[in-house]
Amino acid sequence: MLLLANDIVKKSSIKDVAKLAGVSIASVSYVLNNTPNKSIKEQTVARILEAAKELNYTPNKIARSLKTQKSYTIGLIVADIANPYFSQLARFIEDEAEKQGYTLIIGSSDESDAKFARLLTLFRDRMVDGLIIAPVEGDKTAVELAALKNIPFVLIDRTVPGFDAPAVLINNREISRKTVQYLIDSGKKNIALVSYNTGITSLSERMEGYIDALKENGVVVNKSFILYIDEKRIDDDMDERLTSLFASADKPDALFFITNKLSVSGLRWLIENNIKVPADVAVVAFDQTDAYKLFPVPVTFIKQPLPAIASAAMELLLERIDDTDAPAKVRELEARLKIKASSM
């Protein structure tokens, strides 16, 4: 059915709510904007809310933003929205933003500095009130972040070397050290680490924790046991590196994958090559993903506190929105090792 302009129902206004509730427009504004006002009685609040519900009233966000000089939107830039870690984290951040009356806009940089720069420009043009950012590797990132003079932002997952900014991180180095120590205590001697060929700070810290544990136990760091994978050709590189490693005389008795995408690719290779877990090799993965459920053995993994990361990121960002001169706080949260059959 074709609707003409005159057939469209007129949107209710704050004036309509006030008229139906029999109160002043000011009282409606106080109640619907959650502004404290002791002079408004509980019965009046209930009447206003009932009237708003009956009229299906929704606040005019454009008028609200003009009055407050806020857009009530927040931008989120993740490294890869297809990665279960970032997609789940984005959902938690969206929930936290909604609690505070903000709408979240999400962009994925795909670890590209050019795309990262375009997203920052897009969010600036959209006049977001703040940004939560997983920065990409490289000097250009620091330059782009330095240009965000009027937009508060908080970093998540990783930092930018030499750049002072509020951030929410996890204890990457320590949890990796504890994980490798657990494998050593379980009798493992040839522990291989599988990482990306990148300088992303969170991954570098995980590698440092691996090396810390080996050195603390008097184990010589064997460079052939540190496998670097190109993120753009994960499966091909994984096949080449693991095939070579397991063909050597000094085979690994444990594999530590330091991202979930690497874990999934590595588990695929183990199945295809009939490598028994944990009989032939123990496996530990960083982060949780539903893909582990397809593996014959429950996978030991490091669990990041996603709800706490989201909450802390929003808290720090709101502090910066309220006070752009607030100190650049860094919150380090604790990840935990969840031991399953793959490492026993």
Side-chain angles (χ1 to χ4, degrees), residues 26-39:
S27 294
V28 175
S29 179
Y30 277 120
V31 172
L32 298 185
N33 288 306
N34 292 317
T35 305
N37 190 322
K38 294 181 180 179
S39 66

Side-chain angles (χ1 to χ4, degrees), residues 150-194:
N150 299 318
I151 305 179
F153 65 90
V154 172
L155 304 183
I156 55 170
D157 187 63
R158 73 279 295 259
T159 58
V160 178
F163 192 87
D164 186 31
V168 180
L169 312 169
I170 66 159
N171 58 333
N172 283 296
R173 185 167 182 166
E174 179 60 15
I175 190 59
S176 289
R177 188 196 67 77
K178 287 181 177 180
T179 297
V180 177
Q181 184 64 57
Y182 155 72
L183 290 171
I184 292 171
D185 291 343
S186 300
K188 307 306 177 186
K189 297 178 180 178
N190 296 335
I191 303 168
L193 180 89
V194 185

Side-chain angles (χ1 to χ4, degrees), residues 72-76 97 102-105 128 130-132 314 317 321:
Y72 291 94
T73 57
I74 288 171
L76 170 64
Y102 286 85
T103 297
L104 189 70
I105 306 173
V128 296
L131 288 165
I132 298 174
M314 274 301 302
L317 184 60
I321 290 173

Side-chain angles (χ1 to χ4, degrees), residues 280-293:
D280 296 331
V281 65
V283 170
V284 177
F286 216 103
D287 287 329
Q288 188 176 13
T289 172
D290 286 341
Y292 296 161
K293 296 176 182 178

Side-chain angles (χ1 to χ4, degrees), residues 40-325:
I40 302 177
K41 297 179 180 180
E42 289 185 10
Q43 299 95 315
T44 304
V45 171
R47 202 160 67 245
I48 291 171
L49 293 176
E50 182 61 32
K53 182 179 179 181
E54 184 176 334
L55 293 171
N56 197 26
Y57 171 77
T58 54
N60 187 328
K61 290 188 176 181
I62 295 175
R64 184 184 178 202
S65 65
L66 288 172
K67 182 178 179 180
T68 63
Q69 295 298 302
K70 288 185 177 182
S71 66
Y72 291 94
T73 57
I74 288 171
L76 170 64
I77 300 178
V78 296
D80 178 7
I81 196 62
N83 185 318
Y85 164 74
F86 283 114
S87 59
Q88 291 173 37
L89 181 57
R91 180 55 189 269
F92 285 117
I93 292 175
E94 182 180 35
D95 291 344
E96 290 295 324
E98 187 177 357
K99 290 177 187 176
Q100 302 297 331
Y102 286 85
T103 297
L104 189 70
I105 306 173
I106 305 170
S108 180
S109 71
D110 299 326
E111 300 289 7
S112 162
D113 54 9
K115 190 170 183 181
F116 180 78
R118 289 197 297 271
L119 285 170
L120 288 182
T121 299
L122 171 66
F123 287 135
R124 272 195 294 258
D125 291 345
R126 291 291 296 267
M127 295 187 294
V128 296
D129 294 330
L131 288 165
I132 298 174
I133 301 169
V136 299
E137 181 190 4
D139 296 335
K140 289 183 179 179
T141 299
V143 173
E144 294 291 343
L145 291 177
L148 291 177
K149 295 180 180 178
N150 299 318
I151 305 179
F153 65 90
V154 172
L155 304 183
I156 55 170
D157 187 63
R158 73 279 295 259
T159 58
V160 178
F163 192 87
D164 186 31
V168 180
L169 312 169
I170 66 159
N171 58 333
N172 283 296
R173 185 167 182 166
E174 179 60 15
I175 190 59
S176 289
R177 188 196 67 77
K178 287 181 177 180
T179 297
V180 177
Q181 184 64 57
Y182 155 72
L183 290 171
I184 292 171
D185 291 343
S186 300
K188 307 306 177 186
K189 297 178 180 178
N190 296 335
I191 303 168
L193 180 89
V194 185
S195 179
Y196 288 128
N197 187 15
T198 178
I200 292 173
T201 56
S202 55
L203 302 190
S204 297
E205 290 165 0
R206 292 171 195 178
M207 182 176 293
E208 288 166 359
Y210 163 82
I211 294 172
D212 289 344
L214 295 182
K215 288 183 176 180
E216 287 170 10
N217 288 274
V219 179
V220 176
V221 178
N222 186 341
K223 291 184 178 180
S224 66
F225 279 2
I226 301 177
L227 310 185
Y228 293 103
I229 305 296
D230 185 336
E231 191 173 12
K232 293 181 173 59
R233 55 190 308 270
I234 294 176
D235 286 342
D236 289 340
D237 268 14
M238 189 69 68
D239 291 352
E240 292 175 13
R241 303 292 186 275
L242 289 183
T243 298
S244 175
L245 184 63
F246 278 85
S248 65
D250 204 16
K251 294 182 179 63
D253 53 15
L255 292 171
F256 180 19
F257 298 99
I258 63 173
T259 75
N260 54 24
K261 290 180 73 174
L262 290 173
S263 305
V264 172
S265 181
L267 293 172
R268 170 197 57 80
W269 184 90
L270 292 170
I271 291 174
E272 291 176 357
N273 288 274
N274 199 31
I275 306 293
K276 299 294 188 294
V277 176
D280 296 331
V281 65
V283 170
V284 177
F286 216 103
D287 287 329
Q288 188 176 13
T289 172
D290 286 341
Y292 296 161
K293 296 176 182 178
L294 301 176
F295 196 66
V297 176
V299 177
T300 295
F301 67 95
I302 293 171
K303 182 178 178 64
Q304 297 200 56
L306 299 185
I309 293 171
S311 178
M314 274 301 302
E315 182 181 334
L316 290 184
L317 184 60
L318 291 175
E319 283 183 11
R320 299 287 280 193
I321 290 173
D322 292 339
D323 179 8
T324 54
D325 295 323

